[in-house]
Amino acid sequence: MTKMTDKTFFTEKKKKLTLIKSLFLVLLVVLSLYHFHKPKTLKKDIEIPKCPTVDIYRPSNYESNKELLHKIINDPVYRNISAGKMIRSIQCDTSSYDDEPEDVENNLESFERFNVFHKQLRDDFPLLHETLKLHNVNHFGLVYIWQGSDSSLQPLLLMAHQDVSPISEASLDQWIHPPFAGVYDGKFMYGRGSADCKNLLIGQMEAIEELIKIGFKPRRTIILSYGYDEELTGVRNKNPAFIEEMYGTKSMFAIMDEGGVSLQNISNSTMAIVGTGEKGYIDVSISIQKKGGHSSVPQDHTAIGIMGSLIVEIEDDKFETHFTELNPTFYQYVCLAENSVDIDAVLKHDILYSQFDDDANSNIRNFINSDRLTSYAIKTTQALDIINGGVKVNALPEFVELRLNSRIALEENITFAYEKFVKNVETIAKKYDLGLNVEYPYNKGEDVVILPPTDVGVFSVKSLFVLEPSPITPVGDKKWKVFAGTTRHIYEELAYPEIYENSEEQVIVTPGLGTGNTDTRYYWRLSDYIYRYRPGVLPSVTANSHGINEYIEFDGHLQIIAFTFEYILSVDELDD
């Protein structure tokens, strides 16, 4: 054998070391790929959160009312009679307008349209008006009381609102049917208020009439409360104060109002999302005062141009997303992870371990944020809604105002959001050499000078309306089991038995967050248990609520009637 030279030996050794290094690198890559892409398994040593899962719930007398409930859901004659009531309610134009007076007492003629609506309610629901006691609160608010036989039981409070969002005259030609015609084609009901939320008001009244017809006499008092300016933030709504004066604070067994998400498909699972909390709310006015002049000799940046820069600054500076146990949305996704029959294993892991694993938390936030309709549940929003400025095409604007609306995440608060907008304004004020005065939300009437006024002009920032995020309704107890269990029963056994009868799937009823705000903001003192949920098929946003061609799938309206009927029976059997 030929003896190797030292040079040959080291050359061969070098080749071997290079090969080993290469193999080692390949192994590292394989292990990395396996680590990041393998199906994640759930660890056993961490106590993960639990979904407040419920079984289907029926009242004890369900069998005796089963035929009637099936009639409400399925009978074509009943359907058409019910549709007629909805049509007539839509034909009563009860639009709310921003410029209406807050002083109702001295401006009764401005609200005369509600008297027309009230007459229609009396005509369509004679039994209800004969049986329940009606109180007209602040003239046009409606509070109906169906007195129970046991005064020791806390009343059940059902809510909706009479008013609807107004129509833009410029959009009329885009409506399939006139907005106040109330057109029903056998499947869909079209018209303003069909989804927000005369369907809830009319459905509750229809349920009450059916209960009266079968001879039901409640043990627990039932209260119906219908405000008439919910679309104007409810400043004229004196119903809650009236009810509190009559019954006291924390006097209601539970409160049900519009809100939540009727049915939604998430990750191939059908979910009914009950609003157990609401985001906060703030309206902000931002204005510029600046020297004007003739438009033939304009400044480099007019007040409108500077405001345009601010708009871009605000919209580009988005609020962060959050996925924490402070928000009912967290339990919505925990319920999805625990109950979905075919959820992706990685998604399930990321949901359940999001509170212990930063990467998992980031992944689930990205998942929720990828869909516009779900994204708003986990972040503060900002909507730039109104801008005014300038009076003449050949005169430079001396005053420009922007108004924006923000809905505040539960992990944040009014002050946090407001300071973000102030920071945005300060950035633009410095860029264009303007002053900045700020009136803070909880310091009304006193301006704070952030930047002194200049020869160029001054920004002013003030809040117009503020509401902190709501208290959160408890879940997992008997009250939740009745509400959520009734929801499952209506959908799975009455509305869609052909889907769920022989299936492992279920309608997953979960807590959730109201991304809009309802009249319940004025009822927080009356109960800790506020369920913001309108049974039905379509979420109100999907049904063009506040938009062109508002509509509902009429099956959903019938489900409201059946749910209200059965929920009242179930609650009436409970003791406090």
PDB file of all heavy atoms in Angstrom, residues 118-134:
ATOM      1  N   HIS A 118     -96.521  53.915  17.149  1.00  0.00           N
ATOM      2  CA  HIS A 118     -97.195  53.374  18.339  1.00  0.00           C
ATOM      3  C   HIS A 118     -98.614  52.926  18.011  1.00  0.00           C
ATOM      4  O   HIS A 118     -99.083  51.897  18.520  1.00  0.00           O
ATOM      5  CB  HIS A 118     -97.218  54.412  19.460  1.00  0.00           C
ATOM      6  CG  HIS A 118     -95.858  54.806  19.937  1.00  0.00           C
ATOM      7  ND1 HIS A 118     -95.629  55.868  20.773  1.00  0.00           N
ATOM      8  CD2 HIS A 118     -94.632  54.265  19.683  1.00  0.00           C
ATOM      9  CE1 HIS A 118     -94.336  55.977  21.017  1.00  0.00           C
ATOM     10  NE2 HIS A 118     -93.709  55.006  20.367  1.00  0.00           N
ATOM     11  N   LYS A 119     -99.292  53.689  17.164  1.00  0.00           N
ATOM     12  CA  LYS A 119    -100.641  53.286  16.755  1.00  0.00           C
ATOM     13  C   LYS A 119    -100.595  51.962  16.000  1.00  0.00           C
ATOM     14  O   LYS A 119    -101.462  51.087  16.195  1.00  0.00           O
ATOM     15  CB  LYS A 119    -101.296  54.366  15.892  1.00  0.00           C
ATOM     16  CG  LYS A 119    -102.710  53.999  15.435  1.00  0.00           C
ATOM     17  CD  LYS A 119    -103.323  55.043  14.556  1.00  0.00           C
ATOM     18  CE  LYS A 119    -104.756  54.664  14.181  1.00  0.00           C
ATOM     19  NZ  LYS A 119    -104.866  53.324  13.559  1.00  0.00           N
ATOM     20  N   GLN A 120     -99.572  51.801  15.155  1.00  0.00           N
ATOM     21  CA  GLN A 120     -99.447  50.555  14.401  1.00  0.00           C
ATOM     22  C   GLN A 120     -99.199  49.382  15.345  1.00  0.00           C
ATOM     23  O   GLN A 120     -99.743  48.284  15.158  1.00  0.00           O
ATOM     24  CB  GLN A 120     -98.311  50.660  13.383  1.00  0.00           C
ATOM     25  CG  GLN A 120     -98.223  49.495  12.412  1.00  0.00           C
ATOM     26  CD  GLN A 120     -99.492  49.348  11.602  1.00  0.00           C
ATOM     27  OE1 GLN A 120     -99.893  50.259  10.892  1.00  0.00           O
ATOM     28  NE2 GLN A 120    -100.164  48.196  11.725  1.00  0.00           N
ATOM     29  N   LEU A 121     -98.415  49.597  16.377  1.00  0.00           N
ATOM     30  CA  LEU A 121     -98.175  48.537  17.363  1.00  0.00           C
ATOM     31  C   LEU A 121     -99.472  48.159  18.082  1.00  0.00           C
ATOM     32  O   LEU A 121     -99.728  46.973  18.323  1.00  0.00           O
ATOM     33  CB  LEU A 121     -97.114  48.984  18.374  1.00  0.00           C
ATOM     34  CG  LEU A 121     -95.692  49.186  17.840  1.00  0.00           C
ATOM     35  CD1 LEU A 121     -94.762  49.669  18.961  1.00  0.00           C
ATOM     36  CD2 LEU A 121     -95.133  47.907  17.221  1.00  0.00           C
ATOM     37  N   ARG A 122    -100.281  49.152  18.438  1.00  0.00           N
ATOM     38  CA  ARG A 122    -101.555  48.852  19.104  1.00  0.00           C
ATOM     39  C   ARG A 122    -102.479  48.051  18.180  1.00  0.00           C
ATOM     40  O   ARG A 122    -103.155  47.116  18.618  1.00  0.00           O
ATOM     41  CB  ARG A 122    -102.242  50.148  19.541  1.00  0.00           C
ATOM     42  CG  ARG A 122    -101.559  50.857  20.692  1.00  0.00           C
ATOM     43  CD  ARG A 122    -102.441  51.945  21.298  1.00  0.00           C
ATOM     44  NE  ARG A 122    -102.751  53.009  20.346  1.00  0.00           N
ATOM     45  CZ  ARG A 122    -101.984  54.082  20.139  1.00  0.00           C
ATOM     46  NH1 ARG A 122    -100.852  54.228  20.818  1.00  0.00           N
ATOM     47  NH2 ARG A 122    -102.358  55.004  19.262  1.00  0.00           N
ATOM     48  N   ASP A 123    -102.466  48.393  16.892  1.00  0.00           N
ATOM     49  CA  ASP A 123    -103.328  47.689  15.942  1.00  0.00           C
ATOM     50  C   ASP A 123    -102.873  46.242  15.734  1.00  0.00           C
ATOM     51  O   ASP A 123    -103.705  45.327  15.626  1.00  0.00           O
ATOM     52  CB  ASP A 123    -103.329  48.415  14.591  1.00  0.00           C
ATOM     53  CG  ASP A 123    -104.063  49.747  14.646  1.00  0.00           C
ATOM     54  OD1 ASP A 123    -104.803  49.965  15.624  1.00  0.00           O
ATOM     55  OD2 ASP A 123    -103.867  50.561  13.725  1.00  0.00           O
ATOM     56  N   ASP A 124    -101.556  46.020  15.659  1.00  0.00           N
ATOM     57  CA  ASP A 124    -101.038  44.684  15.357  1.00  0.00           C
ATOM     58  C   ASP A 124    -100.936  43.787  16.584  1.00  0.00           C
ATOM     59  O   ASP A 124    -100.878  42.558  16.447  1.00  0.00           O
ATOM     60  CB  ASP A 124     -99.662  44.799  14.692  1.00  0.00           C
ATOM     61  CG  ASP A 124     -99.754  45.008  13.183  1.00  0.00           C
ATOM     62  OD1 ASP A 124    -100.754  44.564  12.588  1.00  0.00           O
ATOM     63  OD2 ASP A 124     -98.828  45.615  12.609  1.00  0.00           O
ATOM     64  N   PHE A 125    -100.914  44.372  17.788  1.00  0.00           N
ATOM     65  CA  PHE A 125    -100.740  43.569  19.002  1.00  0.00           C
ATOM     66  C   PHE A 125    -101.788  43.947  20.050  1.00  0.00           C
ATOM     67  O   PHE A 125    -101.459  44.454  21.135  1.00  0.00           O
ATOM     68  CB  PHE A 125     -99.320  43.750  19.540  1.00  0.00           C
ATOM     69  CG  PHE A 125     -98.253  43.349  18.574  1.00  0.00           C
ATOM     70  CD1 PHE A 125     -97.544  44.319  17.855  1.00  0.00           C
ATOM     71  CD2 PHE A 125     -97.975  42.013  18.327  1.00  0.00           C
ATOM     72  CE1 PHE A 125     -96.573  43.954  16.943  1.00  0.00           C
ATOM     73  CE2 PHE A 125     -97.003  41.647  17.412  1.00  0.00           C
ATOM     74  CZ  PHE A 125     -96.305  42.620  16.708  1.00  0.00           C
ATOM     75  N   PRO A 126    -103.044  43.661  19.760  1.00  0.00           N
ATOM     76  CA  PRO A 126    -104.110  44.045  20.700  1.00  0.00           C
ATOM     77  C   PRO A 126    -104.044  43.294  22.021  1.00  0.00           C
ATOM     78  O   PRO A 126    -104.301  43.875  23.086  1.00  0.00           O
ATOM     79  CB  PRO A 126    -105.385  43.712  19.922  1.00  0.00           C
ATOM     80  CG  PRO A 126    -104.974  42.680  18.903  1.00  0.00           C
ATOM     81  CD  PRO A 126    -103.571  43.038  18.535  1.00  0.00           C
ATOM     82  N   LEU A 127    -103.702  41.996  21.994  1.00  0.00           N
ATOM     83  CA  LEU A 127    -103.656  41.222  23.235  1.00  0.00           C
ATOM     84  C   LEU A 127    -102.557  41.745  24.161  1.00  0.00           C
ATOM     85  O   LEU A 127    -102.748  41.828  25.378  1.00  0.00           O
ATOM     86  CB  LEU A 127    -103.417  39.735  22.931  1.00  0.00           C
ATOM     87  CG  LEU A 127    -104.565  38.978  22.263  1.00  0.00           C
ATOM     88  CD1 LEU A 127    -104.150  37.533  21.996  1.00  0.00           C
ATOM     89  CD2 LEU A 127    -105.800  39.012  23.142  1.00  0.00           C
ATOM     90  N   LEU A 128    -101.425  42.069  23.597  1.00  0.00           N
ATOM     91  CA  LEU A 128    -100.322  42.601  24.397  1.00  0.00           C
ATOM     92  C   LEU A 128    -100.754  43.901  25.070  1.00  0.00           C
ATOM     93  O   LEU A 128    -100.497  44.105  26.271  1.00  0.00           O
ATOM     94  CB  LEU A 128     -99.097  42.825  23.509  1.00  0.00           C
ATOM     95  CG  LEU A 128     -97.826  43.355  24.183  1.00  0.00           C
ATOM     96  CD1 LEU A 128     -96.585  42.792  23.475  1.00  0.00           C
ATOM     97  CD2 LEU A 128     -97.750  44.876  24.175  1.00  0.00           C
ATOM     98  N   HIS A 129    -101.405  44.784  24.314  1.00  0.00           N
ATOM     99  CA  HIS A 129    -101.789  46.077  24.877  1.00  0.00           C
ATOM    100  C   HIS A 129    -102.937  45.957  25.874  1.00  0.00           C
ATOM    101  O   HIS A 129    -103.097  46.823  26.746  1.00  0.00           O
ATOM    102  CB  HIS A 129    -102.125  47.058  23.748  1.00  0.00           C
ATOM    103  CG  HIS A 129    -100.904  47.577  23.039  1.00  0.00           C
ATOM    104  ND1 HIS A 129    -100.278  46.895  22.019  1.00  0.00           N
ATOM    105  CD2 HIS A 129    -100.187  48.705  23.238  1.00  0.00           C
ATOM    106  CE1 HIS A 129     -99.239  47.578  21.609  1.00  0.00           C
ATOM    107  NE2 HIS A 129     -99.143  48.678  22.323  1.00  0.00           N
ATOM    108  N   GLU A 130    -103.711  44.892  25.779  1.00  0.00           N
ATOM    109  CA  GLU A 130    -104.762  44.663  26.768  1.00  0.00           C
ATOM    110  C   GLU A 130    -104.207  44.065  28.065  1.00  0.00           C
ATOM    111  O   GLU A 130    -104.739  44.300  29.149  1.00  0.00           O
ATOM    112  CB  GLU A 130    -105.816  43.697  26.206  1.00  0.00           C
ATOM    113  CG  GLU A 130    -106.685  44.279  25.103  1.00  0.00           C
ATOM    114  CD  GLU A 130    -107.542  43.208  24.437  1.00  0.00           C
ATOM    115  OE1 GLU A 130    -107.593  42.070  24.974  1.00  0.00           O
ATOM    116  OE2 GLU A 130    -108.148  43.491  23.394  1.00  0.00           O
ATOM    117  N   THR A 131    -103.114  43.296  27.952  1.00  0.00           N
ATOM    118  CA  THR A 131    -102.611  42.504  29.079  1.00  0.00           C
ATOM    119  C   THR A 131    -101.488  43.201  29.834  1.00  0.00           C
ATOM    120  O   THR A 131    -101.436  43.146  31.069  1.00  0.00           O
ATOM    121  CB  THR A 131    -102.119  41.133  28.573  1.00  0.00           C
ATOM    122  OG1 THR A 131    -103.156  40.497  27.824  1.00  0.00           O
ATOM    123  CG2 THR A 131    -101.712  40.246  29.736  1.00  0.00           C
ATOM    124  N   LEU A 132    -100.565  43.840  29.113  1.00  0.00           N
ATOM    125  CA  LEU A 132     -99.422  44.487  29.752  1.00  0.00           C
ATOM    126  C   LEU A 132     -99.735  45.952  30.019  1.00  0.00           C
ATOM    127  O   LEU A 132    -100.523  46.577  29.297  1.00  0.00           O
ATOM    128  CB  LEU A 132     -98.183  44.392  28.847  1.00  0.00           C
ATOM    129  CG  LEU A 132     -97.388  43.083  28.877  1.00  0.00           C
ATOM    130  CD1 LEU A 132     -98.206  41.912  28.341  1.00  0.00           C
ATOM    131  CD2 LEU A 132     -96.085  43.227  28.089  1.00  0.00           C
ATOM    132  N   LYS A 133     -99.125  46.505  31.054  1.00  0.00           N
ATOM    133  CA  LYS A 133     -99.305  47.925  31.372  1.00  0.00           C
ATOM    134  C   LYS A 133     -98.238  48.730  30.647  1.00  0.00           C
ATOM    135  O   LYS A 133     -97.049  48.449  30.769  1.00  0.00           O
ATOM    136  CB  LYS A 133     -99.208  48.159  32.881  1.00  0.00           C
ATOM    137  CG  LYS A 133     -99.461  49.607  33.281  1.00  0.00           C
ATOM    138  CD  LYS A 133     -99.514  49.765  34.781  1.00  0.00           C
ATOM    139  CE  LYS A 133     -99.735  51.227  35.192  1.00  0.00           C
ATOM    140  NZ  LYS A 133    -100.949  51.825  34.606  1.00  0.00           N
ATOM    141  N   LEU A 134     -98.670  49.732  29.886  1.00  0.00           N
ATOM    142  CA  LEU A 134     -97.746  50.565  29.103  1.00  0.00           C
ATOM    143  C   LEU A 134     -97.471  51.879  29.826  1.00  0.00           C
ATOM    144  O   LEU A 134     -98.407  52.571  30.265  1.00  0.00           O
ATOM    145  CB  LEU A 134     -98.345  50.854  27.721  1.00  0.00           C
ATOM    146  CG  LEU A 134     -97.609  51.902  26.869  1.00  0.00           C
ATOM    147  CD1 LEU A 134     -96.175  51.476  26.578  1.00  0.00           C
ATOM    148  CD2 LEU A 134     -98.364  52.163  25.572  1.00  0.00           C
TER     149      LEU A 134
END
